[in-house]
Amino acid sequence: MWLRDELLKSIWHAFTALDVDQRGKVSKSQLKVLSHSLCTVMKIPHDPVALEEHFKDDNKGPLSNQGYMPYLNRFILDKVQEEFDVLEFNKMCWTLCYKKNICTKHLLISDQEAFKVWCIFNFLSEDKYPLVIITEEIEYFLRKLMEAMGSGWDEEKFADYKLQLNTKNNCLSAWELIELVGMGYFSKGMNCQTLSMGIMEVFQELILDVLKQGYMMKKGHKRKNWTERWFVLRPTSLSYYVCEDQVEKKGDIILDRTCCVESLPDKEGKKNLFIIKCIDKSFEISASDKKKKQEWLQAIQTCIQLLRLGLPSPHREARLRRREHRQRQQSEEDDLAERMKHLQAANENKQRQLEGMRKKMEEAAAKAAVEEHRRKQTQLDLQDRYRLDLEKEKMVRQQMEEQVAQKSSELEQYLQRVRELEDMYHRLEEALEDERQAKQDEEVVLKLQARLLEEEAAKRAELEQIHLQQQRALSQTEAEKQELVAEQLAKERALQAAMLQLERMERERHGALEQYEKVSKKLERAANKTKTWKDKVAKHEGLVRLIQPGPKGPQRITNWGPASFTDAELELRKKSWQESKNQGAQAQ
């Protein structure tokens, strides 16, 4: 679906053409015809009553563009749901407007070429009304046109034309652009056919989004034969036709983000092969040479990459980038003008200050001149008086000469005083300048000191916080240390008690061993006596009894061996050991 802004540009031309009196208003009957034509071309059901109902409260006569725009958006553009032929839409708007604005009889181009230039104007013009194309876009279009015609770009001629554009606010209307191209100002020396082919190529590239076109061989899917086709690459498809007039289309290769294009080795007698892999099928194509193959591979890969990134066609993206660049440049120029304005204001302020200082200097110089005039006048008066006195009082000439010498000395002192005052005035100005500079330096130093004091206060607060944390850590460490010392003392006392108990148990073990030895000797003696007694009994009774097995209950095992003590003896030993242990604990 085309952008709404581009459709509105064509509709604006048609609306302006219906405004015969150039008052910015069109009658309702003409708007009905225009609305019906738009609905027909854009495949929208037309509602003839909607216009009357929309403007039923406006019975003042013709309608302006601002009044027609809400109706156009609501009842026409908002209802567009399917693709329609945009060229037919543009031709309908062109038919309504071109005869009232331009005549192509005196031009080198036909109405068809003028229509293509008009479409290119709508594509490159600014999104402001009335529609105009600025100098940068004019240069872009003319460069494309010269390149399509195989001619070089004349920078000097365009620079001269830019000077002429300054009288037209550096922009052209659609009809002025058509006249510029039709008069052949930049295509002198070329025939009409070359100019027409150049316009057609630029039109296909910018308006029809034809990124590349040319003959190539395509392998069939059923019969597997190779057939020459005319291929046309657009941002979302690669169409192929029987020939370059594009009348009989044979098929489309729909490109999407899942497609890929790869180079293939030569096979079946075909060279410069590559393949386009789609979801449902693949297409094998053979270019005429390696250069053409590389160009097609790069162009198709660029389309797939743009689809994966979700970007518009390359020319629309380039137009958007140029507009953004102009907006950034305009913003920078506005900022520069604002800075220049501020600098100029500061300069004027400095000039006023200098002018004030100059006036003060002139006033001081005027005062000094008046003082000098008075001094000279006084000197002349004195000289006249002295001359009269000399004539009148010749007798007191010596006295008068002394007076004259005294007056001359006073005059010299007065002159010296004037010079000193002048020097003092200059030194005073220098001192004032030094004082201003010192005040500025003092303000800088004060700000620096204030910042240093703030930083020092922050660091001092941070150090105090760290000191408090260290104090708390030391207190906690000291408490833990005391607990560890107490625990260590308790463990040492327990160790000493265990050592004492161990020594006591060792002594008891040695005593038990001695008793065991004594009991063993007694048992040995008893066994010997029992044997002797059994022998005697055997002799008397005449038989020897067999040794009977002992009790089968579990025997206790101690440090002195199994069955060393009976249960009663073991209980007595336990009680004795427990009493000795309690006595040792009480002694501690």
Side-chain angles (χ1 to χ4, degrees), residues 211 235 257 300-315 317:
L211 305 180
R257 60 182 61 192
I300 297 171
Q301 185 62 40
T302 301
C303 293
I304 297 173
Q305 190 67 25
L306 290 174
L307 290 171
R308 290 173 179 172
L309 296 176
L311 298 177
S313 65
H315 298 297
E317 182 70 17

Side-chain angles (χ1 to χ4, degrees), residues 78 188 289 335:
D78 288 346
K188 291 182 178 179
D289 52 41
D335 293 341

Side-chain angles (χ1 to χ4, degrees), residues 581-588:
K581 180 179 179 182
N582 293 334
Q583 290 175 0
Q586 290 175 0
Q588 291 178 0

Side-chain angles (χ1 to χ4, degrees), residues 523-576:
L523 288 174
E524 187 178 355
R525 285 195 301 270
N528 291 330
K529 289 180 180 181
T530 302
K531 184 177 180 182
T532 303
W533 181 79
K534 286 181 179 181
D535 290 338
K536 289 179 179 181
V537 170
K539 288 178 179 181
H540 289 289
E541 295 181 0
L543 56 89
V544 179
R545 292 182 180 179
L546 295 175
I547 298 174
Q548 299 296 328
K552 295 186 178 181
Q555 297 179 354
R556 294 186 179 274
I557 300 175
T558 63
N559 293 333
W560 291 275
S564 298
F565 302 97
T566 62
D567 293 339
E569 290 175 346
L570 187 61
E571 288 296 328
L572 290 175
R573 284 186 174 276
K574 282 184 179 180
K575 289 180 181 179
S576 175

Side-chain angles (χ1 to χ4, degrees), residues 4-262:
R4 178 174 297 199
D5 293 338
E6 297 181 7
L7 299 178
L8 287 174
K9 290 180 180 180
S10 300
I11 298 174
W12 178 82
H13 283 291
F15 184 91
T16 307
L18 296 176
D19 181 14
V20 181
D21 299 333
Q22 296 183 355
R23 295 184 303 163
K25 293 185 177 182
V26 178
S27 64
K28 290 184 181 179
S29 60
Q30 290 177 315
L31 290 181
K32 287 181 180 179
V33 176
L34 176 61
S35 301
H36 184 271
S37 301
L38 292 175
C39 291
T40 303
V41 174
M42 301 174 77
K43 300 179 181 179
I44 301 171
H46 179 59
D47 187 1
V49 185
L51 184 67
E52 292 293 341
E53 291 182 351
H54 187 74
F55 296 107
K56 63 183 178 180
D57 296 331
D58 190 356
N59 297 320
K60 298 180 180 180
L63 300 174
S64 63
N65 186 25
Q66 289 78 12
Y68 180 64
M69 190 60 66
Y71 168 81
L72 180 66
N73 287 318
R74 178 181 176 185
F75 293 98
I76 298 179
L77 297 181
D78 288 346
K79 294 182 179 180
V80 177
Q81 296 180 354
E82 61 180 23
E83 294 290 340
F84 60 92
D85 192 345
V86 181
L87 280 181
E88 185 179 355
F89 169 83
N90 285 330
K91 286 180 180 179
M92 186 272 294
C93 296
W94 162 259
T95 304
L96 292 176
C97 66
Y98 86 97
K99 291 183 178 180
K100 298 180 180 180
N101 291 282
I102 195 169
C103 180
T104 59
K105 292 182 178 180
H106 64 285
L107 301 179
L108 299 176
I109 58 177
S110 63
D111 292 346
Q112 191 66 22
E113 278 80 37
F115 164 71
K116 294 172 184 176
V117 177
W118 180 77
C119 292
I120 295 172
F121 168 86
N122 290 338
F123 178 76
L124 298 177
S125 62
E126 300 297 303
D127 294 335
K128 298 177 183 179
Y129 296 93
L131 295 176
V132 292
I133 181 172
I134 61 175
T135 306
E136 289 81 359
E137 299 297 333
I138 296 173
E139 181 179 2
Y140 176 78
F141 166 60
L142 292 177
R143 282 180 181 273
K144 285 279 186 184
L145 183 60
M146 294 297 104
E147 181 181 355
M149 292 189 299
S151 175
W153 176 250
D154 193 342
E155 193 70 40
E156 295 181 358
K157 181 180 288 188
F158 186 75
D160 295 339
Y161 182 72
K162 284 173 68 175
L163 296 177
Q164 299 178 17
L165 282 179
N166 290 334
T167 60
K168 300 180 180 180
N169 297 324
N170 293 320
C171 60
L172 294 177
S173 66
W175 319 113
E176 290 173 339
L177 180 66
I178 294 172
E179 187 173 358
L180 173 66
V181 176
M183 295 297 292
Y185 182 78
F186 289 94
S187 58
K188 291 182 178 179
M190 296 186 180
N191 54 29
C192 298
Q193 185 178 2
T194 303
L195 179 59
S196 176
M197 292 175 65
I199 294 173
M200 181 62 186
E201 184 174 341
V202 177
F203 175 78
Q204 288 181 344
E205 183 177 356
L206 297 182
I207 307 303
L208 301 182
D209 279 335
V210 175
L211 305 180
K212 189 171 181 59
Q213 55 186 347
Y215 280 109
M216 289 190 295
M217 302 292 290
K218 175 186 170 296
K219 185 177 181 179
H221 284 89
K222 295 181 179 180
R223 292 187 291 177
K224 306 298 181 181
N225 59 333
W226 290 86
T227 308
E228 187 178 42
R229 300 297 185 202
W230 175 262
F231 285 84
V232 178
L233 176 63
R234 296 182 177 86
T236 58
S237 65
L238 178 63
S239 304
Y240 49 96
Y241 302 84
V242 174
C243 57
E244 58 183 308
D245 58 8
Q246 302 182 19
V247 175
E248 185 179 353
K249 180 189 286 190
K250 301 300 290 183
D252 291 313
I253 301 175
I254 304 301
L255 302 178
D256 55 26
R257 60 182 61 192
T258 62
C259 296
C260 66
V261 57
E262 298 175 357

Side-chain angles (χ1 to χ4, degrees), residues 316-501:
R316 297 179 189 278
E317 182 70 17
R319 181 187 63 179
L320 182 60
R321 287 198 300 269
R322 291 197 301 273
R323 289 184 179 177
E324 291 176 352
H325 176 71
R326 287 199 298 271
Q327 290 175 358
R328 288 195 301 269
Q329 188 175 7
Q330 184 64 34
S331 177
E332 292 174 358
E333 291 177 357
D334 294 341
D335 293 341
L336 180 60
E338 187 68 21
R339 289 198 296 269
M340 289 297 295
K341 187 177 181 180
H342 289 313
L343 290 175
Q344 186 176 2
N347 189 21
E348 290 177 356
N349 189 18
K350 292 289 185 183
Q351 290 292 336
R352 286 194 295 271
Q353 293 178 358
L354 292 174
E355 186 66 21
M357 293 179 65
R358 186 183 63 79
K359 288 181 179 180
K360 290 180 180 179
M361 292 291 293
E362 289 179 354
E363 290 175 359
K367 290 180 180 179
V370 170
E371 189 68 23
E372 182 68 18
H373 179 70
R374 288 178 181 177
R375 185 186 62 77
K376 290 182 178 180
Q377 189 65 34
T378 304
Q379 186 178 6
L380 291 175
D381 294 342
L382 287 173
Q383 288 177 358
D384 292 339
R385 190 182 304 121
Y386 291 157
R387 192 182 305 110
L388 292 174
D389 290 342
L390 286 172
E391 291 177 355
K392 290 179 180 180
E393 299 179 2
K394 291 181 181 181
M395 299 299 294
V396 290
R397 183 172 181 177
Q398 185 176 1
Q399 186 178 1
M400 292 298 295
E401 288 178 356
E402 292 177 357
Q403 292 179 356
V404 170
Q406 184 179 359
K407 294 294 182 181
S408 299
S409 177
E410 291 177 359
L411 180 61
E412 184 65 26
Q413 290 177 0
Y414 180 77
L415 292 174
Q416 183 66 26
R417 181 62 178 168
V418 170
R419 287 193 293 271
E420 289 177 357
L421 287 175
E422 290 178 352
D423 294 338
M424 187 180 298
Y425 176 75
H426 290 301
R427 288 196 297 274
L428 181 60
E429 285 185 343
E430 294 176 356
L432 288 174
E433 183 64 28
D434 294 339
E435 183 179 0
R436 282 196 297 272
Q437 186 65 31
K439 285 184 178 179
Q440 293 178 356
D441 296 340
E442 184 180 2
E443 290 177 357
V444 174
V445 171
L446 286 175
K447 290 180 180 179
L448 181 60
Q449 288 179 351
R451 188 170 70 253
L452 291 175
L453 287 174
E454 291 177 357
E455 293 177 356
E456 184 178 359
K459 289 182 179 178
R460 182 176 296 171
E462 185 179 356
L463 289 174
E464 289 178 357
Q465 188 69 21
I466 294 172
H467 180 66
L468 290 175
Q469 293 177 359
Q470 289 178 351
Q471 290 293 332
R472 287 196 294 270
L474 288 174
S475 300
Q476 186 178 0
T477 306
E478 188 65 27
E480 292 177 354
K481 182 178 180 182
Q482 292 177 0
E483 292 178 0
L484 291 174
V485 169
E487 185 179 353
Q488 184 178 4
L489 290 175
K491 289 181 178 180
E492 288 179 356
R493 287 194 295 270
L495 181 61
Q496 290 176 1
M499 293 294 292
L500 292 174
Q501 186 176 354

